[in-house]
Amino acid sequence: MTKRTKAIFLGLCIIGSFFIYCVFYYSNMIKNAPYRFADFEYITIAYGKRDSMLNTYNSATQEYQYLTRSNQVVKQKLKLTDDDLLYLHRKAMEMGFWNVDDDMTTPRKDAADGRDVPRYVLEYKYKDKGKKVVLDADYSGNQKMKDATKTTIEKVLEMINIADAR
């Protein structure tokens, strides 16, 4: 063997073994990912005041209920497409929604305290797992977790509004 063929052989061995390792490692990571869109079942969101969360949406039943400015409750069917749900799934992954705390509520000393503060309940449900987060708008905990949850909620509400406008 010449010096050049030895260098090519050595390079192919190193690159080839690295490529095989990457394929093996990442294929197992993707296959065992806890939140895969292939296992996705539904998204639910509810928001409003703590004692009356009249604004709700469930993607499994397609039931959408909201309170208008004139305090009338409107109920209708609203279907999110698979592309919409995939977008929301990816946005939740991008924001790190899976790593936030489940309970992001502000402790209250009495029942009347903070009654008018909006509360959001967002749930992503998969076959084996799910993630349900409760967020108060005045939550004073970890700001990064609050921002990730708030952005995910905003994207879900934005997608619902886009689907409603269609």
Side-chain angles (χ1 to χ4, degrees), residues 146-158:
K146 180 182 177 184
D147 290 343
T149 306
K150 191 174 177 184
T151 304
T152 307
I153 289 169
E154 288 171 357
K155 291 299 178 183
V156 170
L157 293 175
E158 178 184 322

Side-chain angles (χ1 to χ4, degrees), residues 13-132:
C13 288
I14 292 171
I15 292 171
S17 61
F18 179 73
F19 180 74
I20 291 170
Y21 170 76
C22 287
V23 167
F24 176 76
Y25 178 77
Y26 288 111
S27 66
N28 281 336
M29 276 185 62
I30 291 170
K31 187 170 47 175
N32 295 328
Y35 299 101
R36 298 182 304 182
F37 187 70
D39 296 336
F40 179 79
E41 290 183 357
Y42 62 85
I43 293 176
T44 61
I45 187 166
Y47 58 98
K49 296 180 183 177
R50 274 188 318 179
D51 54 350
S52 62
M53 309 241 300
L54 296 175
N55 303 298
T56 61
Y57 178 71
N58 186 327
S59 68
T61 61
Q62 300 175 1
E63 293 177 0
Y64 180 40
Q65 173 182 308
Y66 60 95
L67 188 66
T68 63
R69 293 186 192 270
S70 58
N71 288 333
Q72 294 177 337
V73 176
V74 177
K75 293 181 181 182
Q76 68 184 42
K77 291 281 188 178
L78 181 67
K79 181 173 177 24
L80 291 180
T81 64
D82 287 340
D83 291 337
D84 296 340
L85 295 172
L86 178 62
Y87 171 78
L88 292 174
H89 167 77
R90 287 184 178 162
K91 193 50 83 170
M93 275 192 344
E94 180 184 322
M95 291 294 120
F97 181 72
W98 316 127
N99 300 325
V100 300
D101 294 336
D102 294 340
D103 185 20
M104 299 175 77
T105 57
T106 304
R108 309 285 181 199
K109 293 185 179 175
D110 60 35
D113 186 28
R115 185 180 309 160
D116 293 334
V117 175
R119 176 170 283 181
Y120 301 89
V121 179
L122 178 61
E123 179 182 14
Y124 278 71
K125 180 69 174 134
Y126 295 83
K127 285 181 184 173
D128 299 327
K129 286 186 158 191
K131 180 72 173 180
K132 182 176 182 179

